[in-house]
Amino acid sequence: MNSGREVSDGRLTVEGFSVAARAFADKWKIHNQSFPPWSWVPLINRTLHLSNQQEEGYLSLEEILILSSLEESPEDESLNVATDCLEKEESVDHTILNQENEAHYYDFHIVYSSSYKVPVLYFRGYCSGGQPLSLDVIKKDLPSCSVSLLHESKWTFITQEEHPYLNRPWFKLHPCGTEDWIKLLSQSSISTGCQMPVDLYLVSWFSVVGQVVGLRIPLEMLN
Amino acid sequence: MANEAVKYVWEGAIPLQIHLHKSDVASHPSPPPALVLAPRIGYLPLLIPHIKPYFKDSLPPGEDSIWFDYKGVPLKWYIPTGVLFDLLCAEPERPWNLTVHFRGYPSNILIPCEGEDSVKWNFVNSLKEAQYIINGNCKNVMNMSQSDQEDLWTSVMNGDLDAYTKLSPKLKMATIEDEFSRKASLSSPQSRQGATEMDVAGQIKTARVPVRLYVRSINQDFENIEDVPGIDTWDDISYLNRPVEFLREEGKCFTLRNAIESLLPEFIGDRAQTSGEERSRDDDNTEEADGLLREMGEIKLARIQGIEMKLEIPFSWVVNNLMNPEFYLHISVLVKAPQR
């Protein structure tokens, strides 16, 4: 399997994932400054001392404070309140008030699946006391279009599974069919057939997947 | 030969002695433990209908949320019972003493279990993942009729190998050519496949094999396996859900050792198998060689279906005969960590 510069079948190698992850994190840092940056967590396993010949890891974005907007306007279907608002002078944290007026925190991990050869989004929500949030509560925090996307689409559904590395229950966005819609994205964005440069893979992937959990990315990231 | 091994795997069972946790005991005297024979390829929640009758009169009022622990470690219900036993009991304990709880489900550690449905969902999901790894897609599982899927699951739940054998061909899982039969079939047209990866009979030359590796790492040598300390938490185990890339090289046999080392590259190099090799190691007595040997880890023990495996066995045989019904090969490994 080549760890080349391009992806043509919608799937990633483990090396490709590392490359794509760094490219994604860098672009996010530049274009999405209203959010904290993603960090790369290497798989230095405490019982195994995995060698770093091929550094494996996952992307982590944690402690995102989410509250839903007090005046819900139908157009503003996003958790990302500040991105396009250049007028905003004060620095905004990513806080939107939720129905119960309680602080809900979210962690997001982008982990590589060696079985399916695609990235997978894991996430979880918790209160300030650390108590985990159930999926019903989480759905209330998501913009309504995400919730209907969850109900309608066949490929995005959320299941509760054990995090592949952390021995804890997390929510996972199902990867089935990922390679198919990545191929579709490749076709529409690049005229030279189905090729997608590796470093754009996660950006393209997240432009779709992020919306399901209410995280929009600015269009500039897709360049 | 192959069929006999599969039969043994399906018939494998672990005697359990299940104690009700004292906080769940609302009767006096507390009930005696339940004795249950648990199929290796089964799952703990499926035993609940057999266990609950023993304890129902002792339980406090309220709703049940059942979970098990072994020496304080909550047991992951989605791991086959045989694998849990091979992994957590360095020295096999017979009967295996477990504690059952009917309250206080540790939902911050264990994913929820809603009885048989959860176990079935987990099984089908693993089957899809295994098929994706083997065939490159999971359409055969997805296209299976609801009743066939039900029947397949029921055959596993009941340990009915005959029923399973009738249904599993519908999955059209590509097979791995057995190293033993390879030589015999060298003259057959199938073995002359060139560029294509898959021939008409579905035998793959470059294969990906679904493997779940459970690694327990220790820092020192133990004379007896029973001296290896038990785990305190699941963080003491490294879990790798990662396919093995099965390499078919002319004249070489891809062994179980090769497979494990491909997943744990830092353990490559433990070659102290024969006294001949031992001697040549001693001869190479430079500082550098010593340093290197000290650094490398060592695979102490590999258990599959309760068998302590000889690492030189052809991997293809291991896969074809010892995998679980969802087409995953579960390997429990005890390693000595590389010294750094």
Side-chain angles (χ1 to χ4, degrees):
Chain A
M1 194 92 193
N2 68 332
S3 54
R5 297 260 157 255
E6 279 166 341
V7 170
S8 49
D9 61 354
R11 304 196 282 179
L12 270 181
T13 59
V14 63
E15 299 88 358
F17 175 76
S18 295
V19 170
R22 300 210 203 266
F24 174 75
D26 290 341
K27 282 183 181 256
W28 177 281
K29 206 167 177 176
I30 296 169
H31 298 288
N32 219 358
Q33 287 180 356
S34 42
F35 269 99
W38 288 82
S39 43
W40 174 254
V41 180
L43 286 182
I44 296 185
N45 192 297
R46 36 179 161 138
T47 61
L48 283 183
H49 318 281
L50 280 177
S51 64
N52 281 347
Q53 52 196 117
Q54 170 181 294
E55 197 193 71
E56 292 182 38
Y58 58 87
L59 283 172
S60 161
L61 184 68
E62 294 190 352
E63 291 182 22
I64 301 300
L65 181 57
I66 282 164
L67 319 155
S68 48
S69 55
L70 288 170
E71 290 157 19
E72 252 184 77
S73 54
E75 307 91 61
D76 189 17
E77 294 283 19
S78 171
L79 294 174
N80 185 358
V81 176
T83 321
D84 318 290
C85 296
L86 299 165
E87 304 98 299
K88 276 224 155 50
E89 272 154 5
E90 72 263 51
S91 63
V92 187
D93 23 61
H94 288 294
T95 52
I96 316 174
L97 270 150
N98 66 22
Q99 255 92 52
E100 291 90 25
N101 256 341
E102 214 177 53
H104 287 173
Y105 294 86
Y106 284 84
D107 294 343
F108 299 94
H109 287 180
I110 301 177
V111 186
Y112 178 69
S113 162
S114 356
S115 306
Y116 291 101
K117 295 193 162 195
V118 292
V120 181
L121 183 71
Y122 285 86
F123 63 95
R124 63 173 187 161
Y126 46 98
C127 306
S128 37
Q131 306 96 300
L133 302 176
S134 70
L135 190 56
D136 289 329
V137 172
I138 292 175
K139 280 185 180 170
K140 292 201 193 114
D141 285 342
L142 296 179
S144 53
C145 63
S146 298
V147 181
S148 44
L149 200 73
L150 279 172
H151 283 141
E152 288 164 33
S153 91
K154 290 177 201 163
W155 51 264
T156 51
F157 56 98
I158 292 175
T159 55
Q160 191 172 25
E161 291 184 26
E162 192 177 275
H163 190 287
Y165 303 110
L166 301 179
N167 291 320
R168 290 289 183 277
W170 279 60
F171 290 103
K172 167 180 160 185
L173 206 54
H174 206 273
C176 202
T178 297
E179 78 273 23
D180 294 327
W181 50 262
I182 290 278
K183 275 195 277 189
L184 285 175
L185 285 176
S186 322
Q187 279 169 338
S188 53
S189 63
I190 297 157
S191 52
T192 55
C194 274
Q195 305 281 49
M196 172 183 291
V198 168
D199 39 6
L200 279 185
Y201 188 105
L202 273 181
V203 179
S204 308
W205 174 85
F206 199 80
S207 68
V208 180
V209 165
Q211 285 184 58
V212 181
V213 291
L215 291 174
R216 287 255 179 89
I217 60 173
L219 292 169
E220 298 80 43
M221 275 184 71
L222 292 163
N223 291 338
Chain B
M1 183 73 165
N3 289 332
E4 207 179 317
V6 173
K7 215 161 148 290
Y8 275 120
V9 165
W10 275 63
E11 287 170 2
I14 305 194
L16 304 181
Q17 182 161 244
I18 303 188
H19 309 257
L20 181 62
H21 191 257
K22 55 185 195 291
S23 65
D24 290 345
V25 179
S27 68
H28 190 73
S30 46
L35 294 168
V36 182
L37 198 59
R40 277 190 154 270
I41 57 168
Y43 302 85
L44 290 174
L46 299 178
L47 303 173
I48 291 168
H50 302 288
I51 297 169
K52 189 157 175 200
Y54 279 92
F55 299 125
K56 64 176 168 53
D57 296 330
S58 307
L59 295 176
E63 239 181 76
D64 297 336
S65 55
I66 302 173
W67 57 286
F68 297 84
D69 84 69
Y70 175 59
K71 293 190 172 168
V73 179
L75 297 181
K76 297 185 183 185
W77 54 263
Y78 41 89
I79 297 182
T81 310
V83 179
L84 286 171
F85 182 65
D86 291 343
L87 181 62
L88 301 176
C89 279
E91 175 72 21
E93 190 185 298
R94 287 192 177 89
W96 192 23
N97 285 288
L98 297 183
T99 305
V100 67
H101 302 251
F102 284 78
R103 303 281 182 277
Y105 197 91
S107 47
N108 56 332
I109 302 177
L110 288 183
I111 54 178
C113 180
E114 264 114 58
E116 190 203 313
D117 277 342
S118 300
V119 186
K120 179 173 133 200
W121 189 90
N122 167 69
F123 173 82
V124 174
N125 227 39
S126 301
L127 182 62
K128 280 186 194 161
E129 193 177 342
Q131 174 151 96
Y132 193 91
I133 292 169
I134 296 171
N135 287 0
N137 64 71
C138 41
K139 56 181 183 209
N140 295 336
V141 180
M142 310 277 263
N143 291 340
M144 222 184 179
S145 73
Q146 198 59 21
S147 65
D148 279 343
Q149 254 193 44
E150 274 299 322
D151 290 344
L152 187 75
W153 167 242
T154 306
S155 73
V156 175
M157 255 208 315
N158 297 338
D160 187 347
L161 180 56
D162 289 332
Y164 178 84
T165 310
K166 288 197 184 81
L167 286 159
S168 57
K170 295 192 181 195
L171 294 168
K172 297 187 209 141
M173 289 284 202
T175 59
I176 297 189
E177 211 181 325
D178 209 316
E179 297 278 346
F180 291 130
S181 52
R182 200 160 87 91
K183 290 212 171 89
S185 67
L186 267 176
S187 53
S188 78
Q190 282 159 7
S191 63
R192 298 206 186 276
Q193 283 298 313
T196 53
E197 279 191 319
M198 198 125 110
D199 67 20
V200 260
Q203 290 196 328
I204 294 188
K205 291 191 81 179
T206 52
R208 293 212 304 158
V209 176
V211 170
R212 287 183 170 162
L213 192 69
Y214 308 82
V215 188
R216 168 96 168 94
S217 175
I218 50 177
N219 286 321
Q220 52 177 120
D221 273 310
F222 286 92
E223 191 152 322
N224 293 315
I225 198 89
E226 63 214 9
D227 297 331
V228 173
I231 64 163
D232 295 318
T233 83
W234 283 98
D235 295 335
D236 292 338
I237 306 271
S238 302
Y239 170 61
L240 286 174
N241 176 25
R242 204 170 276 215
V244 165
E245 306 269 347
F246 188 111
L247 292 169
R248 180 75 44 75
E249 278 176 288
E250 236 2 269
K252 277 193 195 170
C253 178
F254 190 75
T255 62
L256 176 60
R257 178 189 296 279
N258 295 142
I260 296 176
E261 286 178 351
S262 71
L263 296 178
L264 302 176
E266 70 276 22
F267 290 93
I268 293 171
D270 170 32
R271 292 280 180 266
Q273 285 297 290
T274 64
S275 54
E277 281 177 279
E278 195 91 59
R279 260 197 302 268
S280 61
R281 242 220 262 166
D282 289 341
D283 287 342
D284 204 9
N285 217 2
T286 61
E287 285 267 314
E288 204 183 286
D290 277 350
L292 210 72
L293 288 170
R294 237 193 324 232
E295 271 205 20
M296 288 188 289
E298 207 185 317
I299 300 171
K300 296 300 239 180
L301 179 63
R303 267 191 200 138
I304 304 177
Q305 302 294 0
I307 305 165
E308 287 181 18
M309 307 294 298
K310 284 196 156 46
L311 298 177
E312 312 315 318
I313 296 183
F315 188 57
S316 57
W317 187 92
V318 177
V319 174
N320 290 332
N321 291 284
L322 302 182
M323 65 176 172
N324 273 52
E326 77 283 5
F327 286 83
Y328 258 98
L329 184 70
H330 299 257
I331 310 176
S332 298
V333 184
L334 183 67
V335 300
K336 188 171 132 206
Q339 306 303 307
R340 301 238 159 150

